[in-house]
Amino acid sequence: MSKVGIKDIAARANVSTATVSYVLNGTRNVKPATKERVLRVIEELNFKPNAIAQSLKNRRTDTIGVIAEDVTVFNVPEIIDGINDYADRHDLHILLTNLRLDKRIGRGFDRVESYRKHMENAVAELQGKQVEGIVYIGVHPRDLTGMIDTHGKPIVYTYCYTQDDISIQYDDEQASYDAMAYLVKQGHSKIAIISGTMDSLPSRMRFNGFYKAVTEFSLPFNPDWIKMGDWETESGFRLAQELLSLPEPPTAILAMNDVMAAGVLRAASEAGVAVPGELSVIGFDNREFSGYLTPRMTTLELPLHEMGYRAMDSLMKAIRGEEVDRNQSPACKLILRDSVAPPPGD
Amino acid sequence: MSKVGIKDIAARANVSTATVSYVLNGTRNVKPATKERVLRVIEELNFKPNAIAQSLKNRRTDTIGVIAEDVTVFNVPEIIDGINDYADRHDLHILLTNLRLDKRIGRGFDRVESYRKHMENAVAELQGKQVEGIVYIGVHPRDLTGMIDTHGKPIVYTYCYTQDDISIQYDDEQASYDAMAYLVKQGHSKIAIISGTMDSLPSRMRFNGFYKAVTEFSLPFNPDWIKMGDWETESGFRLAQELLSLPEPPTAILAMNDVMAAGVLRAASEAGVAVPGELSVIGFDNREFSGYLTPRMTTLELPLHEMGYRAMDSLMKAIRGEEVDRNQSPACKLILRDSVAPPPGD
DNA sequence: CTGTTAGCGCTTTCAT
DNA sequence: ATGAAAGCGCTAACAG
């Protein structure tokens, strides 16, 4: 089982190493008989060309480095899948680095210095491995400007962004606008919103979509219907309780993620308010569990696969020096399930 | 930004390439002053040694190939995380191949030929890249004997197995036994079980644990309390309905996955049966959604991280020619939440 | 159509 | 303490 190389093949097939290389790569015409013979020997010895040596010679690895902040965070695998999809179709290889940020530092994204080193190591390693470019997958949409210096190597960010580089993020504003439009179409006008923390860009963008809809559809505006949550299920629960005990409660609640929407559902259930009969609820993210809740929850699906796919596409364009749309925003998709109905008495 | 190599460093620091290599690897003593100078130039030019060339020379890549049948399947990312954890601690690199089986062929795992080619390609590619060994992550525990020929390269399977190779799988039998023991301790004796499909090994192993507990705790045995499901939520729903309308209904139901357990919860809710007041429910898998159901569901957590970690550990041992325990079974862990209580009137 | 050979960027033996 | 040079497994220019 000692490594068999092109030389061994050449020897056994009575040809030169060059010929073996030619049949391997189809670089030149080789007499069918010779070719046949070489191929047979290759098969016999189960020879696989050493990709390391090939890359060294060719000075091309056809490999893209992917840095994922944490592969166990819900949105990441699907993005990786999109990246793989693109790579498969274009004969590219993927080198995946998992920073394990969630495991290592939890939600302490503010403590920048604690993970800057991890990022730098990851980039250095990928540079050493001669990747042609890098895709960086965040776990949380935020500004990473100044965090990473790739020394000129092309990089594309997704699920996060910098002020200088290409990034792919779904369209938060359009998504919440779409959810509102759907609610309005169902007959709702008293629509409440439960936001995530306000230090987050997605929260603010989703608010923009909400306000745009309120304005465009001339919905009644009631400040009591605007609630700030913190992304966690408890806040959804608590704020929904407040909303339901209002003198004039909303007939629909848009929560900025499914986790909070689950809290809304629980609050409604405990208060004896029927969903969707008396209250409609829309979540955000299309987390796996949203389909298993009672009722099955209507929510916004993130275009994760597409983000990965487009990130690769943009990266390859950048590598080839082509013009790239620097801030693409693929659309979210409203998944219609059972938590929305026309308002009572409609 | 043209590639800077060891030669450039040598030239600029007025030393030979050998010396640069020595300071890079600490292979020899280098006069502090010289070392200092070399290091400075390296820093200046942001030089990263070409890992490709290093590997070619050293004939070691310190790289493990990981083949994941599908990274988007719920258990896989956590296993990868365990693999990464091990790799980080042991200065190993990971080359991840995502077969995308779920996307490409869905649940058609019987149609073996349709994915054998994908597997072979993946293995060949990793061989070419000179990985030291391979970890194979299934999406579904099943026998893969004869599917993959690594031509002597060490391989370890996890979340699936073969008859000849090392594999790491959690202990299904112990897990369902533990769940039963917990139920018994809460005072239950009329315990029903909803299985997965019987062509699956986990189903049979979990049954074994169930029967072991029935025997050991001398529980009343009622064939009506044994239900065959198909892993899907609808079967959990339907079978729970049957169970609840029995003349002598069980006081607890153990479902072989969370998805079916969610169906049980919905059936109970619709039948006006309080969980856990009148009926206790335990799931399996600790899927993310199980914590968001109402009530939050008690379930068995799979030792995914540990499976990945141990797979790597076993693989490295195999590579070094050390003795390896060929069939390790890390334990599942019962996650206590709110869907279990003593039986009514206890 | 096929063979000879230089060299990709590094490590390491052998000299000094 | 440092340098010269061979060579890892391949590709491709050059020669025949």
Side-chain angles (χ1 to χ4, degrees):
Chain A
M1 203 42 226
S2 80
K3 285 273 127 262
V4 14
I6 206 176
K7 258 187 212 161
D8 307 277
I9 306 297
R12 256 178 91 128
N14 278 311
V15 293
S16 73
T17 60
T19 303
V20 178
S21 176
Y22 296 146
V23 344
L24 234 34
N25 304 300
T27 331
R28 279 247 214 311
N29 275 352
V30 175
K31 182 158 55 152
T34 320
K35 184 170 178 174
E36 179 61 32
R37 192 151 32 93
V38 171
L39 252 15
R40 234 194 27 247
V41 176
I42 287 178
E43 180 73 15
E44 263 173 44
L45 303 189
N46 181 44
F47 165 72
K48 305 269 183 280
N50 184 328
I52 300 283
Q54 289 180 313
S55 300
L56 182 59
K57 181 80 226 197
N58 295 334
R59 324 179 81 236
R60 288 196 7 262
T61 55
D62 292 327
T63 298
I64 298 300
V66 174
I67 300 178
E69 289 188 345
D70 198 310
V71 299
T72 65
V73 169
F74 81 98
N75 42 48
V76 177
E78 206 64 62
I79 295 177
I80 292 176
D81 190 72
I83 291 174
N84 280 312
D85 190 5
Y86 186 95
D88 281 355
R89 291 175 202 254
H90 296 80
D91 287 307
L92 259 14
H93 303 137
I94 295 299
L95 215 39
L96 178 76
T97 305
N98 180 11
L99 257 22
R100 307 185 68 240
L101 239 48
D102 203 47
K103 294 284 163 76
R104 292 212 252 234
I105 61 167
R107 296 293 169 195
F109 290 122
D110 39 322
R111 293 284 307 103
V112 162
E113 288 313 318
S114 62
Y115 58 96
R116 162 173 257 138
K117 199 142 303 160
H118 290 307
M119 292 179 174
E120 274 171 6
N121 285 345
V123 171
E125 191 181 312
L126 292 176
Q127 306 255 58
K129 295 199 169 179
Q130 313 301 117
V131 300
E132 326 270 7
I134 295 177
V135 173
Y136 188 99
I137 309 174
V139 290
H140 189 74
R142 66 199 196 289
D143 189 345
L144 251 31
T145 304
M147 287 297 297
I148 293 181
D149 181 2
T150 64
H151 304 278
K153 178 140 329 210
I155 185 167
V156 170
Y157 292 82
T158 183
Y159 227 91
C160 59
Y161 58 96
T162 75
Q163 271 147 41
D164 316 308
D165 305 282
I166 302 170
S167 62
I168 317 284
Q169 293 233 82
Y170 54 86
D171 190 337
D172 279 295
E173 182 170 332
Q174 183 66 41
S176 65
Y177 176 87
D178 287 348
M180 291 293 288
Y182 173 66
L183 252 13
V184 168
K185 198 165 148 210
Q186 295 294 306
H188 292 275
S189 60
K190 298 190 279 185
I191 306 176
I193 188 160
I194 298 179
S195 78
T197 51
M198 289 311 289
D199 59 358
S200 117
L201 184 67
S203 285
R204 300 193 298 273
M205 299 303 286
R206 292 172 196 183
F207 257 125
N208 289 351
F210 171 80
Y211 281 114
K212 188 174 162 217
V214 167
T215 307
E216 238 174 61
F217 298 112
S218 309
L219 301 180
F221 179 79
N222 182 339
D224 290 342
W225 296 341
I226 313 291
K227 297 289 185 185
M228 315 288 202
D230 63 5
W231 300 121
E232 302 299 331
T233 195
E234 270 318 296
S235 72
F237 179 74
R238 191 189 70 242
L239 297 171
Q241 283 183 325
E242 292 180 22
L243 251 10
L244 291 174
S245 55
L246 243 30
E248 189 182 27
T251 62
I253 298 178
L254 173 57
M256 285 197 193
N257 73 9
D258 285 345
V259 172
M260 294 190 295
V264 173
L265 251 32
R266 190 154 53 83
S269 160
E270 289 191 12
V273 172
V275 176
E278 299 168 83
L279 178 72
S280 289
V281 179
I282 296 187
F284 213 114
D285 288 347
N286 192 27
R287 292 281 277 269
E288 179 191 47
F289 66 82
S290 63
Y292 293 108
L293 296 171
T294 311
R296 296 163 59 247
M297 197 161 60
T298 294
T299 185
L300 286 150
E301 181 183 67
L302 276 25
L304 300 170
H305 183 94
E306 189 175 355
M307 287 162 73
Y309 198 92
R310 284 210 206 181
M312 283 292 282
D313 189 50
S314 299
L315 179 61
M316 293 314 290
K317 282 188 176 129
I319 289 171
R320 290 190 299 260
E322 298 170 18
E323 199 51 51
V324 186
D325 191 357
R326 303 187 70 76
N327 288 292
Q328 297 176 53
S329 304
C332 296
K333 183 177 155 204
L334 191 61
I335 304 294
L336 304 181
R337 288 202 277 248
D338 312 329
S339 63
V340 174
D346 201 61
Chain B
M1 202 40 224
S2 81
K3 283 272 130 268
V4 14
I6 205 175
K7 258 188 214 163
D8 307 275
I9 306 298
R12 255 176 92 127
N14 277 312
V15 293
S16 72
T17 60
T19 302
V20 178
S21 176
Y22 297 145
V23 343
L24 232 33
N25 304 299
T27 331
R28 278 245 213 316
N29 276 352
V30 175
K31 185 159 50 152
T34 319
K35 184 170 178 174
E36 179 60 32
R37 192 151 31 93
V38 172
L39 252 16
R40 233 194 28 246
V41 176
I42 287 178
E43 179 73 15
E44 263 173 44
L45 303 190
N46 181 41
F47 166 72
K48 304 271 184 276
N50 183 328
I52 300 281
Q54 288 179 313
S55 299
L56 183 59
K57 183 79 217 175
N58 296 334
R59 323 179 81 236
R60 287 194 10 258
T61 56
D62 292 326
T63 298
I64 298 300
V66 174
I67 301 179
E69 289 188 345
D70 199 309
V71 299
T72 65
V73 170
F74 80 97
N75 43 46
V76 177
E78 205 64 62
I79 296 178
I80 292 176
D81 190 72
I83 290 173
N84 281 313
D85 190 5
Y86 186 94
D88 281 354
R89 291 175 203 256
H90 295 79
D91 288 307
L92 260 14
H93 303 137
I94 296 299
L95 215 41
L96 178 77
T97 305
N98 180 11
L99 257 22
R100 308 187 66 242
L101 239 48
D102 203 48
K103 293 284 164 77
R104 292 211 253 234
I105 62 167
R107 296 294 169 192
F109 290 123
D110 39 323
R111 291 283 310 101
V112 162
E113 288 314 317
S114 62
Y115 58 94
R116 162 172 257 136
K117 199 141 302 158
H118 289 309
M119 292 180 176
E120 273 171 7
N121 286 345
V123 171
E125 190 182 313
L126 292 177
Q127 307 256 56
K129 294 199 170 179
Q130 314 301 114
V131 300
E132 326 271 7
I134 295 177
V135 174
Y136 188 98
I137 309 174
V139 289
H140 188 73
R142 66 198 197 289
D143 189 345
L144 252 30
T145 304
M147 287 297 298
I148 293 182
D149 181 2
T150 64
H151 303 278
K153 180 141 325 208
I155 185 167
V156 170
Y157 292 84
T158 185
Y159 228 91
C160 60
Y161 58 94
T162 75
Q163 271 147 41
D164 315 308
D165 305 283
I166 303 170
S167 62
I168 317 282
Q169 294 232 83
Y170 55 85
D171 191 337
D172 278 297
E173 183 170 332
Q174 183 66 42
S176 65
Y177 176 87
D178 287 348
M180 291 293 287
Y182 173 66
L183 252 14
V184 169
K185 198 165 148 210
Q186 296 294 306
H188 292 275
S189 61
K190 298 189 280 186
I191 306 176
I193 188 160
I194 298 179
S195 78
T197 51
M198 288 311 289
D199 59 358
S200 118
L201 184 68
S203 284
R204 301 193 297 273
M205 299 303 286
R206 293 172 195 183
F207 258 125
N208 290 349
F210 171 80
Y211 281 115
K212 188 174 161 216
V214 168
T215 308
E216 237 174 62
F217 297 113
S218 310
L219 301 180
F221 179 79
N222 182 338
D224 290 343
W225 297 340
I226 313 291
K227 297 289 185 187
M228 315 288 201
D230 63 6
W231 300 121
E232 302 299 330
T233 197
E234 270 319 294
S235 71
F237 178 75
R238 191 187 73 242
L239 297 171
Q241 284 183 324
E242 292 179 22
L243 252 8
L244 291 173
S245 55
L246 244 28
E248 190 182 26
T251 62
I253 298 177
L254 173 56
M256 285 196 193
N257 73 10
D258 286 344
V259 172
M260 293 190 297
V264 173
L265 251 32
R266 191 154 51 83
S269 161
E270 290 192 11
V273 173
V275 176
E278 300 168 82
L279 178 72
S280 288
V281 180
I282 295 186
F284 213 115
D285 289 347
N286 193 27
R287 293 280 278 269
E288 178 192 48
F289 65 82
S290 62
Y292 292 108
L293 296 171
T294 311
R296 296 164 57 246
M297 198 161 59
T298 294
T299 185
L300 285 150
E301 180 183 68
L302 276 24
L304 301 171
H305 182 95
E306 190 175 353
M307 288 163 72
Y309 198 92
R310 284 210 206 182
M312 284 292 282
D313 189 51
S314 299
L315 179 61
M316 294 313 290
K317 283 188 175 128
I319 289 172
R320 289 190 300 259
E322 298 171 18
E323 199 52 51
V324 187
D325 192 355
R326 302 186 72 74
N327 289 291
Q328 297 175 53
S329 304
C332 295
K333 184 177 156 203
L334 191 61
I335 304 293
L336 305 181
R337 288 202 277 247
D338 310 328
S339 63
V340 174
D346 202 63

